[in-house]
Amino acid sequence: MAERPPDPSTEGYDPRADRETPRVEEAASGVSHHEPIDLRERLSLNRMGTFDWDLDRGRMDLDPGAMEVFDLRPGEYDGAPMSLISRVPPEEGLRLDAALSQALQDGNSSYGAYFRIQCRDGTRRWTHSQGRILHDAQGVAYRVIGIVREATSELADSALLRSLQQERQRQTVMVQQTTAALARALSVKDVTRVLTGSGGARRFGADALVLGLVENDRFEVIAAAGLDGEVPADMTHSRLDDTLPLSDAVRSRRPSFLSTRGELIARYPRLRPYVNVLPTGSAAFLPLIAQDTVLGALGLFNHEPAVQSPEARNLALALAGVVAQSLQRATLFDQEREFATGLQAAMLPRRLPPIAGGEVTVRYHPASVGRDVGGDWYDVIALPQGRTGLVVGDVQGHDTHAAAVMGQLRIALRAYASEGHPPETVLVRASRFLAELETERFATCTYVQADLESGALYVARAGHLGPLICNASRHIDWPEICGGLPLGLATGFGEDHFPETQLFLEPGSTLLLCTDGLVEQPGQDISAGIDALSAAVRTGPTALEALADRLSDHLWAQPGSDDDMALLLLHRSTIPGEAATPRLRLHVHQADPAGTAEVRSALRRTLDQWRAGAVTHNVEVAASELIANALTHTESGALVSVELVPGAAPRRLRLEVEDRSSQWPRRRHPGETATSGRGLLLVEALSDRWGAEPRGSGKALWCEFVLPDDPIGNGA
């Protein structure tokens, strides 16, 4: 009798030690405790078998274990690999063939692949094959020896791991997306826009949501998305009690997770009349708590019933914490913004003085997005002798400090203007005042002193956008306005000089002053905004209030400007019984060498609108000569007027240059070498008629030009 091998050491490893394992009925009942198990039996017990594939003969031998893996019975396999097609679907066979072919092509000595077989009962199960490729002396593969084994359980575990990994990745993405979206939300309105906007509920893994806040010990629903109807009116405002799920979450400070709509109705019977509004699936109601303060509650709804896992509940609570922090930050922001905008509004005029001979209207809007509170302002000031001061300006910066500086500067400028100083003096003193504040802020500004009785406008500009003038025929002009540096900077650089430009506002015309918030949009050139403003004024309503609303709504509020905006419109009333005639009037100062060039530029724009054609050049030359004559031979400036002669046929244009000298012009006959004296000769040669008229303490030289036919036929 053979000797029994010695027992292993009693201190050896035993996987059963210290474990409570269940009693299991052995499927392989023929195997005794110490009976030797050969290799094939060992493989079979692990649902594994072997194959031997002779590539030269095209025959593959399968052992009983492999036959069992392929769910084959004796007689169902003839040794030909292609006969396995009854168990291996074509697409799976292609998977196997691709793995083996790649190994042969690469010269590898082994390969492996997962594939599915179709059992005789129609079910499919995963199988794994791994083979060793044998090569002859010439390196040619001639035989493959390997194993096949059932891999369903193995891949099931892997699929579970992949599913868990995908779920964790999905949850991570949800948190990242929600946090990123809420990080950009500044106000409570921004937070609700994130929650109710496109994909808002999906960021929380829900189909619908409801958000409410605590307001004076009451619960108020402020946002909802994804519901089949509106939140009932009697539930948008409710007491903090346990009859409604959101107010209950606030009162108890505890979340609740419900699996079905029926469970929700059973716990909160007050919702029964509104069952059609609520989704049929699971729901979660989460208190929004930040720094131990309950701000509100968030309700999440799904269309499918479900028992939420601990991971899903933890995720919902984490997202609720993010929402709570965002709401707390947004609430503080709204309070700060309300204070700042209130401060700014208090510093702007509460009412406008009456305007004799016209009307004025203003609009002001703080920035539509963001935290910014700007320093834009406007003012309308009653001046001595029936004149009116008009101001539009912008202090550098977008904060409460800019608003405070704006208030001080507005009061100072109003005081200087009320003393009757000319525009240049007003801006010089305002610049020095701002520099003495030592705020390190500068301001841009346009100040207009208007006399509506005569239509004279005296304009000074400090780094600001110039005025727009729209005449009675809806022609738009941006006149050339001399300007200086911004207020404060001008004094700091010793350049506090703001030259004055004289314009004329004809009856029926409108003057527009604005800050850059009306014409600037992020990413766009300011010229595009100026063109858009010109088009809006040209095609806008004739009534001043309606025009102001149109400009505010379509040029500022609708795009959602990042900047604040101040707008001022002044309209000069038409004179009763007098038809509105297209006219341009400009003033050239005696000591302004660039005045003539500015007049020619304005004439060119105006005559282009009047469709003067080739006559434009002649008018420009005649105007230059008459202006030069006035500035050279008199001690005053020149008032230039150009208008279309009413009722004239054919159309005629009349140009006048008025000065304060009573000395009558004298035609000269210069010689060939003379360097002057040809001005009136040029005017006579270029115009159709010309002459001189007395004007009070001075005179006016005039000339007329016949214009080509108006192709549109409106005379302007």
Side-chain angles (χ1 to χ4, degrees):
M1 178 180 297
E3 293 184 1
R4 183 177 178 180
D7 291 336
S9 170
T10 57
E11 297 181 0
Y13 169 70
D14 184 352
R16 300 168 299 177
D18 302 325
R19 291 180 175 88
E20 292 292 336
T21 58
R23 304 267 181 189
V24 179
E25 183 178 353
E26 179 55 61
S29 56
V31 180
S32 65
H33 275 66
H34 304 295
E35 179 183 353
I37 302 176
D38 62 16
L39 176 61
R40 291 186 182 279
E41 289 178 309
R42 297 176 188 176
L43 295 176
S44 179
L45 286 173
N46 287 281
R47 303 189 67 82
M48 186 181 299
T50 66
F51 67 87
D52 188 345
W53 188 357
D54 190 330
L55 300 179
D56 294 333
R57 294 168 53 202
R59 181 178 179 81
M60 178 186 290
D61 294 328
L62 301 177
D63 70 355
M67 293 284 287
E68 185 177 348
V69 170
F70 281 106
D71 197 14
L72 294 171
R73 296 173 180 171
E76 292 181 342
Y77 178 66
D78 60 3
M82 288 302 296
S83 64
L84 291 176
I85 198 171
S86 63
R87 290 288 178 266
V88 182
E91 66 275 12
E92 303 298 328
L94 292 175
R95 190 198 305 271
L96 276 171
D97 180 68
L100 178 57
S101 298
Q102 188 65 44
L104 292 172
Q105 183 177 347
D106 295 341
N108 296 334
S109 59
S110 64
Y111 76 97
Y114 286 94
F115 62 98
R116 287 176 297 181
I117 65 170
Q118 184 156 347
C119 301
R120 63 181 65 255
D121 61 2
T123 62
R124 290 193 176 192
R125 68 187 182 197
W126 281 100
T127 304
H128 182 258
S129 173
Q130 185 169 346
R132 172 66 186 270
I133 305 173
L134 303 179
H135 299 79
D136 60 17
Q138 286 74 37
V140 178
Y142 67 91
R143 190 175 180 183
V144 180
I145 301 173
I147 60 172
V148 290
R149 60 186 178 86
E150 186 177 332
T152 301
S153 299
E154 172 190 334
L155 289 187
D157 293 339
S158 299
L160 177 60
L161 291 175
R162 286 198 300 271
S163 176
L164 292 175
Q165 184 178 7
Q166 291 173 355
E167 178 64 17
R168 293 192 189 98
Q169 184 177 3
R170 184 185 69 86
Q171 293 177 356
T172 301
V173 171
M174 288 171 56
V175 173
Q176 290 175 342
Q177 290 179 344
T178 305
T179 303
L182 291 174
R184 296 187 293 270
L186 294 178
S187 64
V188 173
K189 185 177 180 180
D190 294 336
V191 173
T192 59
R193 188 183 300 115
V194 170
L195 298 182
T196 61
S198 177
R202 300 309 307 169
R203 291 194 185 100
F204 296 85
D207 299 312
L209 61 80
V210 175
L211 173 68
L213 297 180
V214 177
E215 186 72 24
N216 297 326
D217 295 328
R218 292 183 63 85
F219 188 80
E220 179 181 359
V221 174
I222 64 170
L227 298 178
D228 293 334
E230 298 292 333
V231 177
D234 63 335
M235 295 186 182
T236 56
H237 298 81
S238 61
R239 293 183 295 108
L240 291 177
D241 55 27
D242 59 356
T243 62
L244 292 174
L246 288 174
S247 59
D248 187 24
V250 170
R251 186 188 60 83
S252 65
R253 302 170 68 99
R254 292 195 304 269
S256 59
F257 300 91
L258 305 174
S259 302
T260 64
R261 183 172 63 186
E263 186 178 348
L264 173 63
I265 299 299
R267 181 176 296 188
Y268 301 100
R270 187 177 168 186
L271 295 175
R272 190 176 302 279
Y274 314 107
V275 64
N276 294 330
V277 178
L278 301 171
T280 58
S282 60
F285 302 97
L286 314 168
L288 302 177
I289 304 174
Q291 295 183 346
D292 200 35
T293 300
V294 182
L295 305 176
L298 177 66
L300 303 176
F301 302 90
N302 289 283
H303 295 310
E304 297 296 330
V307 177
Q308 298 191 20
S309 65
E311 292 79 8
R313 296 187 179 195
N314 290 335
L315 174 64
L317 292 173
L319 293 176
V322 174
V323 174
Q325 293 176 7
S326 298
L327 282 173
Q328 185 184 49
R329 183 178 65 247
T331 301
L332 294 175
F333 166 79
D334 285 344
Q335 293 173 351
E336 177 185 345
R337 180 178 175 81
E338 182 180 0
F339 168 76
T341 53
L343 172 65
Q344 187 176 30
M347 293 182 177
L348 294 174
R350 294 181 178 271
R351 62 181 182 85
L352 303 179
I355 304 294
E359 60 177 322
V360 65
T361 188
V362 295
R363 294 291 185 273
Y364 171 78
H365 293 290
S368 62
V369 296
R371 184 183 300 273
D372 294 347
V373 177
D376 288 16
W377 90 94
Y378 63 85
D379 208 348
V380 180
I381 309 165
L383 302 178
Q385 301 177 356
R387 293 170 298 165
T388 303
L390 309 170
V391 186
V392 164
D394 182 5
V395 174
Q396 174 202 15
H398 295 85
D399 49 27
T400 54
H401 183 55
V405 172
M406 175 272 288
Q408 297 177 78
L409 182 59
R410 171 185 164 257
I411 293 172
L413 195 147
R414 167 179 275 267
Y416 299 142
S418 299
E419 293 174 353
H421 298 294
E424 179 177 7
T425 303
V426 171
L427 293 190
V428 168
R429 294 192 175 188
S431 179
R432 293 174 181 174
F433 171 82
L434 182 57
E436 291 172 358
L437 288 180
E438 297 182 353
T439 64
E440 298 184 353
R441 302 291 180 100
F442 63 82
T444 64
C445 175
T446 294
Y447 174 61
V448 178
Q449 189 180 92
D451 182 359
L452 291 189
E453 183 178 354
S454 64
L457 304 175
Y458 303 92
V459 186
R461 186 171 62 89
H464 199 79
L465 191 66
L468 173 151
I469 294 179
C470 176
N471 67 15
S473 299
R474 310 309 293 268
H475 288 147
I476 305 299
D477 186 33
W478 293 86
E480 296 284 346
I481 304 297
C482 299
L485 294 175
L487 303 179
L489 285 182
T491 301
F493 286 107
E495 297 289 340
D496 47 358
H497 174 59
F498 305 95
E500 180 182 301
T501 301
Q502 184 176 356
L503 305 174
F504 287 89
L505 191 66
E506 299 298 331
S509 298
T510 300
L511 172 79
L512 180 149
L513 299 174
C514 67
T515 57
D516 55 9
L518 189 63
V519 293
E520 278 191 328
Q521 289 292 334
Q524 294 185 2
D525 189 88
I526 192 173
S527 60
I530 290 176
D531 292 341
L533 176 59
S534 301
V537 174
R538 182 183 303 111
T539 60
T542 55
L544 205 63
E545 294 290 337
L547 177 60
D549 291 337
R550 172 74 176 274
L551 298 179
S552 298
D553 294 342
H554 291 271
L555 290 184
W556 183 86
Q558 198 172 73
S561 175
D562 292 339
D563 199 1
D564 50 346
M565 179 275 291
L567 168 68
L568 188 151
L569 294 172
L570 172 69
H571 179 76
R572 186 184 180 195
S573 303
T574 56
I575 300 175
E578 181 177 322
T581 301
R583 179 184 300 168
L584 172 69
R585 301 181 73 185
L586 300 169
H587 185 270
V588 182
H589 288 274
Q590 172 72 30
D592 184 7
T596 302
E598 293 171 0
V599 168
R600 293 186 63 159
S601 177
L603 278 174
R604 193 178 305 116
R605 293 194 306 271
T606 301
L607 296 180
D608 180 63
Q609 293 176 346
W610 293 352
R611 301 173 185 86
V615 178
T616 300
H617 176 71
N618 295 343
V619 177
E620 286 186 47
V621 174
S624 299
E625 294 299 331
L626 293 179
I627 293 171
N629 187 72
L631 298 182
T632 302
H633 301 291
T634 70
E635 295 181 355
S636 67
L639 176 60
V640 182
S641 301
V642 59
E643 66 178 1
L644 294 177
V645 179
R651 292 195 310 151
R652 293 204 315 274
L653 178 146
R654 183 181 178 93
L655 169 68
E656 293 184 357
V657 176
E658 183 178 343
D659 59 52
R660 297 179 184 176
S661 173
S662 58
Q663 183 179 358
W664 213 249
R666 182 169 54 89
R667 182 186 300 184
R668 300 164 62 187
H669 299 279
E672 295 181 357
T673 60
T675 58
S676 63
R678 298 185 178 89
L680 293 180
L681 295 177
L682 279 173
V683 172
E684 182 178 24
L686 294 175
S687 65
D688 294 290
R689 47 185 293 200
W690 74 282
E693 295 177 355
R695 292 290 174 84
S697 60
K699 64 180 182 301
L701 297 181
W702 60 269
C703 54
E704 292 185 355
F705 303 80
V706 175
L707 301 181
D709 292 336
D710 183 2
I712 298 180
N714 59 10

